[in-house]
Amino acid sequence: MKLAQFIVATLVVLLSSSATFAGDDVAWRLADKNGKATNCKVTFTRLAKDAKGVNCFNADTKQSHAPWNTCITIDPGVMKAGQDYVVKLDYQVFDRPTDDTYFYVFARSGKLGQGADVWTTWHDAPGTRRSAILRIRPKSDDYGVYVGIHTKGSERIENLRIIHGNGYAEARLDGGAASDGGEPVPNVTGAKPFTIDAPKNPKGAVVSLADFGCVAAGASTASGGGVDRNLAALNTAIQKCRETGAAKLTVPKGVYRITSGKTITFKDLHDFTFDGNGSTFLFDTILGGAGMSISETNRCVFRNFNLDWDWKKDPLASVGRITKLAPDKSWFEMRFEENAPLDPKRWPTMLELDERLRVPGDGPEFGNFGPKKLARLDAKTVRVYPTYPLAVNVGKLYLLRHYVYEKHAIVLGGDTHLSVRDVTIFSFPGEGFVMGGDNHHCEFQHCTIGFPPNNRRPITLTADGFHVDDSQGFLKLENCDFGYMGDDCVNIHDQFRRGVQRMNDHSLLLTNMVLWRCPFAAGDLVELRNPDYSPTKFESKLTNVQVDWKASKVVLTFDKPLPVKIDPQSILFNRRYHSNNIIIRGCDFHENRARGVLLKTADNLVENNRFYHNQHNAVQLTVDTDSNWSEGTGPRNTVFRGNQFDSCNCLGVTDGATILLTAEVGGTPVKYEALNSILFENNIWNATTGPAIRATSFNKLVLSHNHIENFEPASTVLPMRGAILVQDATGLWVNNNEWADMKGSQHPSVFYDPSNVRQIYYSGNSVSKPIK
């Protein structure tokens, strides 16, 4: 039997055993003598014996009042920079009393600071026995390892060790290697075509904003006597259109300043067109919600206008260079290109820029460091005393965002058959296009998030470009250009709730509930899932939703009897929302902080787009939950075709992967295969940092007729460059792909965890030039 055939044939057998690492070349192992640990520091932890009489350590933080409780500390010196290691421990959870309790192991460098941490966490119910794995390739020699418990809890820790290597097996794809037969390649279809209904109001009147007292001029004439004349004119004209059933509202081309900071509101309009004729609505004040609200409309078109922020009055971000750093990192000096910001509230987050592109680069980001004091040295230079030591890089250029989510540009809710065309957002102190609720059949054509002509700024938006928190699907982005924002270009997901308490046969209590993150209403169909996203086969309509706003508690009452036993970490999917059938075509997503496109639901088609220099992954197909969010229902039936991924993930997160597929709880992949039927075909990867794709928790992933090349040097080069990396999965097809040159790369391969990957099939892959 050929080696390739042997690899595939043995995968199923290997999966029946627990995770092992060939040879277990141990660099460090927890040791004890006379009832005490001898090669680490322990807190909240004592030596014990398991059921077989083997020594282990019990960690218990239930008497602690601190949020972070490190139980075992392994001092720096064990791991060397540039080498691969696996931190592995076996654990049994004893007590997890609150939803906020979880267990963790992380590695941290004293020199590089928190921004270079590597973490894994687990949120298991009491009685769970599993292994935790933390893979790390240190960038410096001073990484220590910390095992602990967030808030109050207890667990048993067994066989803690640090192992040389990454723990993956390798299946080489060059040299004409092919697997043995296998299952037929699955048919993945992606989103169905759909159309947006046009307005049907041929006899409706055409209304002009010019007739309502608007002023296309500067601030001095746009507001008189404290009255926001332009906002008043817009809202009066919109009301007139609603009352008369007008077909169109037009705006004479100009710049219209909105001085109050309040919202331009389009609501309850039908068969209506708003045409801005290239006008710009200029804002300068945070108060009053979004810049524009579009809600409860049907068969409406919004086109030909811009939204912008007045940088002369209130800059959204600043760029400065670090000139000095205290030896103990207790302060640093920064010289700005404009006047230095002196209000500590305007320092929420700071990240290193790529010097050539002046966009987020490969250095760490520092958030929530809240300067204790700012000392002005001259008009452009300031000495900063952060709340914790920052390992900034002297001589490097940094972007300081003054805002994050303070004011979104355009918020949409409850719209059907909506068309947004040729709308540009130059800048805003928050997200760009924000959607949530019962929207469906909405399209965004030729929309742009970019700088004004001949006016290069430090940033466009301070947060996401296009963000969907719940919808009813059938959404389309075509020929859009989103760039330079402070977070993801596109994030589309439905939200879910994790953490429940069974009250009686028909009622569940949700605690610490944030309603806007996961709204429920009587009549909604709700599905109960296990803590790893696997189905419980229970779903039922809600008959009542009782909210206690002060206590942040919600009681859901179901029309069917609940299961007798419900894990307190169970998950609720509200099936009223299903952001499925997404088409993203012909768009450009580029040069932003964080990710390119996040898709977390089913039936998607992403084709002929360009992803360039997204700081993190170009694409994430995920379902995930942690203490800050719970997003997605599991990407399924999703096609990526004809896209170009160029120079993405310069920061090197998630092993440097360009594409990330995973289902996670608290940053740890689950065993349940929540992702299903994903196809990548005829795509091009260029200048990858690490793997072309890293995929976990999936069933049926197909890679066909793609091209991966690394002619260009990347700012960061990590192991497995251009390869495919998989774990916790069933069914991978890698057929007829081409690797070119692979400069600085390993041979084209599939790297996999042999303990939990089943059915790898490959054939027809090639290398266009010899690997040197």
Side-chain angles (χ1 to χ4, degrees), residues 77-266:
V78 175
M79 299 183 292
K80 304 302 180 184
Q83 298 183 23
D84 289 314
Y85 297 90
V86 175
V87 182
K88 188 172 188 289
L89 63 90
D90 305 320
Y91 65 84
Q92 179 180 0
V93 175
F94 289 152
D95 193 10
R96 185 170 181 263
T98 71
D99 185 44
D100 199 33
T101 300
Y102 57 88
F103 310 90
Y104 61 81
V105 56
F106 72 92
R108 174 172 293 169
S109 162
K111 181 173 69 175
L112 300 178
Q114 296 180 22
D117 285 359
V118 182
W119 282 75
T120 191
T121 62
W122 50 102
H123 300 68
D124 298 299
T128 304
R129 296 182 61 92
R130 287 180 182 163
S131 296
I133 293 175
L134 177 72
R135 291 182 168 91
I136 179 173
R137 186 180 179 88
K139 296 181 180 179
S140 69
D141 290 338
D142 69 335
Y143 270 84
V145 176
Y146 307 86
V147 181
I149 303 173
H150 185 256
T151 70
K152 301 177 186 294
S154 61
E155 67 172 341
R156 171 166 290 167
I157 299 169
E158 304 171 350
N159 199 16
L160 172 61
R161 65 269 196 205
I162 301 176
I163 306 166
H164 286 289
N166 60 25
Y168 292 119
E170 180 181 3
R172 292 263 304 258
L173 302 178
D174 57 338
S179 62
D180 204 14
E183 299 291 327
V185 178
N187 180 33
V188 186
T189 58
K192 297 178 181 178
F194 63 94
T195 58
I196 307 298
D197 293 346
K200 300 176 181 179
N201 190 8
K203 297 182 180 180
V206 176
V207 177
S208 174
L209 186 63
D211 299 330
F212 293 85
C214 63
V215 179
S220 60
T221 54
S223 59
V227 177
D228 189 341
R229 292 178 58 184
N230 285 332
L231 182 66
L234 277 160
N235 286 338
T236 301
I238 294 166
Q239 177 65 18
K240 180 72 171 180
C241 292
R242 185 164 43 243
E243 292 174 349
T244 62
K248 182 185 290 187
L249 173 60
T250 65
V251 179
K253 185 173 183 179
V255 176
Y256 297 88
R257 185 179 290 272
I258 307 299
T259 59
S260 63
K262 296 182 180 179
T263 304
I264 303 170
T265 303
F266 296 90

Side-chain angles (χ1 to χ4, degrees), residues 127 635 645 712:
F645 308 106
E712 298 297 326

Side-chain angles (χ1 to χ4, degrees), residues 405-722:
Y405 297 108
E406 279 74 3
K407 188 180 184 71
H408 303 321
I410 302 175
V411 175
L412 309 101
D415 303 291
T416 60
H417 293 278
L418 171 72
S419 181
V420 180
R421 304 176 189 167
D422 298 293
V423 172
T424 296
I425 303 173
F426 293 130
S427 63
F428 235 72
E431 296 176 334
F433 302 95
V434 184
M435 181 180 294
D438 296 328
N439 299 71
H440 63 84
H441 288 84
C442 300
E443 66 176 1
F444 296 77
Q445 300 276 356
H446 297 280
C447 292
T448 300
I449 299 169
F451 301 125
N454 304 315
N455 187 3
R456 174 66 187 257
R457 295 165 173 171
I459 201 169
T460 51
L461 300 167
T462 58
D464 292 359
F466 185 93
H467 191 102
V468 175
D469 278 325
D470 300 318
S471 78
Q472 293 180 357
F474 294 90
L475 309 178
K476 189 183 299 184
L477 288 171
E478 290 188 312
N479 302 308
C480 295
D481 185 338
F482 296 165
Y484 311 108
M485 65 281 300
D487 214 315
D488 308 317
C489 293
V490 174
N491 185 342
I492 300 175
H493 62 265
D494 296 323
Q495 301 177 87
F496 61 86
R497 172 64 191 170
R498 177 170 60 93
V500 301
Q501 178 183 330
R502 191 181 191 275
M503 300 180 67
N504 54 50
D505 286 348
H506 287 270
S507 297
L508 289 177
L509 171 67
L510 313 183
T511 56
N512 300 315
M513 181 68 186
V514 181
L515 282 181
W516 70 263
R517 287 183 174 170
C518 194
F520 293 96
D524 292 352
L525 180 65
V526 174
E527 180 187 1
L528 180 69
R529 291 275 182 131
N530 292 310
D532 65 351
Y533 306 110
S534 60
T536 66
K537 298 183 180 179
F538 175 85
E539 62 179 25
S540 171
K541 285 188 176 182
L542 297 178
T543 59
N544 188 49
V545 177
Q546 183 178 352
V547 181
D548 183 341
W549 291 96
K550 290 184 178 180
S552 190
K553 293 182 179 179
V554 178
V555 175
L556 304 181
T557 303
F558 296 82
D559 66 356
K560 294 180 181 178
L562 290 160
V564 174
K565 292 185 178 180
I566 299 177
D567 190 298
Q569 297 307 310
S570 293
I571 287 166
L572 297 178
F573 287 166
N574 188 346
R575 291 305 188 184
R576 171 177 178 169
Y577 302 110
H578 42 87
S579 295
N580 302 343
N581 219 83
I582 308 297
I583 296 175
I584 302 177
R585 179 185 290 128
C587 297
D588 196 352
F589 305 116
H590 58 96
E591 296 162 290
N592 63 300
R593 174 190 172 274
R595 290 71 59 98
V597 168
L598 289 82
L599 284 176
K600 302 190 176 187
T601 57
D603 306 322
N604 307 296
L605 173 62
V606 182
E607 65 178 356
N608 301 329
N609 304 285
R610 174 180 178 257
F611 297 80
Y612 174 65
H613 208 283
N614 312 118
Q615 188 194 28
H616 292 205
N617 314 107
V619 171
Q620 285 192 5
L621 301 177
T622 63
V623 50
D624 59 338
T625 177
D626 70 5
S627 58
N628 295 315
W629 63 76
S630 296
E631 298 178 351
T633 52
R636 305 174 301 282
N637 186 32
T638 293
V639 174
F640 277 76
R641 180 183 297 122
N643 302 285
Q644 181 176 349
F645 308 106
D646 189 354
S647 305
C648 298
N649 200 355
C650 63
L651 198 59
V653 300
T654 58
D655 295 309
T658 302
I659 311 294
L660 175 67
L661 285 72
T662 189
E664 295 182 349
V665 173
T668 301
V670 299
K671 302 297 182 183
Y672 174 65
E673 295 166 353
L675 284 64
N676 190 286
S677 299
I678 313 294
L679 168 65
F680 285 83
E681 66 176 1
N682 295 314
N683 302 285
I684 297 174
W685 279 259
N686 182 57
T688 65
T689 295
I693 293 181
R694 176 189 171 195
T696 77
S697 313
F698 69 84
N699 185 292
K700 299 177 184 177
L701 170 61
V702 181
L703 310 177
S704 176
H705 294 90
N706 299 289
H707 181 84
I708 300 113
E709 66 178 41
N710 281 308
F711 292 113
E712 298 297 326
S715 58
T716 304
V717 175
L718 298 178
M720 297 179 280
R721 191 181 190 203

